[in-house]
Amino acid sequence: MSQRTNPDPAAGIDSPAKLATLLEEHDYLADEGLATAAFLALRMGRPLFLEGEAGVGKTELAKALAAILDAPLIRLQCYEGLDAAQALYDWDFARQLLHLKAAEAAGVTDVQALEGEIYDRRFLVARPLLRALETRPCVLLVDEIDRADDEFEAFLLEVLSDFTISVPELGTIRAQTPPVVVLTSNRTREVHEALKRRCLYHWIEHPSFEREVAILLRRLPACTEELAAEVAGAAGRLREADLVKPPGVAETLDWAEALLTLGAARLDPGLAAVTLGALLKYREDQETVRRGGLLGDGLAARTGGGGGRA
């Protein structure tokens, strides 16, 4: 079991403003609402449930928190069909079999002792949830919980209630220091109220124009203020259009980086058109943008509100 000398890695974080400053030092720009939600989750020991459009910085917040706490990030990527065994633990059957063959070759005949040996902790393969309980401190990221099945959601709620896992062959494993838990959802379906009640909740909006410009300049030092403003303004306009998948901050960063790679100092319609694949990932959206001339002349920046990330 991994151990640290400091049982509370968040002890020095005494306010949301302090956390926001630390996040900024790790290139994550959080607004007041998000910084407050994350601070309360740390101080109250509650899971933080983040919802929002894809690409607004939910996963990146967990990575930034792990960096701030100097703790490993353990990520459980959810998907349809995910079950408890894939998230919890499994037995290394190949090693167990080798152990049995080695014991047989050595002439071991005590069957009961052998049965006990093959279910020793060394043959247990820890999946993300078990690793999170045995690693302290750590940040457990349960990513895209909305993609998992209802049955797994109920199982996860049980684990998060007391941070214990029962392994029939070994007994109960309890977290000495509960992990910092961040759950994310793109809201492809509604997550059950029981799980939400266990968590502190925050919806992450697309960032304001000013915050998105700051994100671009922070993450892409070669980006000029003019290019950052034009890219952020264009992305903001596209989010208001009728698109299958409006661009998130992740796509805005990709787009700006693609433009910089082509030597752009500002956004012109020609470069915008040939780099759409970095910003829009659906053919229908690209056709909508081209037909509507949404990236033509007059790339005026828009203003708005919301959280964001770098």
Side-chain angles (χ1 to χ4, degrees), residues 128-142:
L129 291 181
L130 179 57
R131 282 194 287 120
L133 265 60
E134 293 188 315
T135 304
R136 58 171 185 159
C138 77
V139 175
L140 171 62
L141 169 61
V142 183

Side-chain angles (χ1 to χ4, degrees), residues 5 37 61 73 91 123 132 156 183 187-188 261 274 289:
T5 56
L61 177 66
L73 175 70
W91 290 102
F123 296 118
L156 181 63
L183 300 95
R187 209 170 189 179
T188 58
T261 301
V274 298
V289 168

Side-chain angles (χ1 to χ4, degrees), residues 2-166:
S2 173
Q3 296 188 6
R4 301 287 183 94
T5 56
N6 183 6
D8 183 8
I13 304 175
D14 56 7
S15 69
K18 174 66 173 179
L19 179 58
T21 299
L22 292 173
L23 288 169
E24 185 173 353
E25 291 175 0
H26 288 83
D27 292 337
Y28 190 104
L29 304 183
D31 63 15
E32 183 180 7
L34 180 56
T36 300
F39 170 77
L40 291 174
L42 290 175
R43 304 309 298 168
M44 297 170 63
R46 299 278 294 278
L48 177 61
F49 187 93
L50 299 176
E51 279 193 325
E53 299 290 339
V56 294
K58 303 183 295 295
T59 298
E60 291 298 318
L61 177 66
K63 294 179 180 178
L65 288 175
I68 289 172
L69 301 176
D70 190 24
L73 175 70
I74 298 176
R75 181 174 182 173
L76 174 62
Q77 179 63 52
C78 298
Y79 53 87
E80 186 177 354
L82 177 67
D83 61 28
Q86 294 164 316
L88 194 53
Y89 69 88
D90 205 351
W91 290 102
D92 191 334
F93 296 114
R95 288 189 62 203
Q96 288 175 319
L97 183 59
L98 286 174
H99 180 75
L100 289 175
K101 289 184 176 180
E104 182 182 1
V108 177
T109 58
D110 190 337
V111 176
Q112 187 173 1
L114 274 177
E115 287 181 353
E117 288 178 3
I118 64 172
Y119 288 109
D120 186 79
R121 180 63 181 82
R122 58 187 163 143
F123 296 118
L124 190 69
V125 180
R127 304 301 184 195
L129 291 181
L130 179 57
R131 282 194 287 120
L133 265 60
E134 293 188 315
T135 304
R136 58 171 185 159
C138 77
V139 175
L140 171 62
L141 169 61
V142 183
D143 219 2
E144 298 183 327
I145 182 62
D146 53 319
R147 297 187 181 276
D149 300 326
D150 291 351
E151 292 78 8
F152 179 78
E153 196 176 310
F155 161 75
L156 181 63
L157 176 62
E158 182 179 350
V159 173
L160 296 181
S161 295
D162 53 11
F163 294 104
T164 62
I165 290 174
S166 177

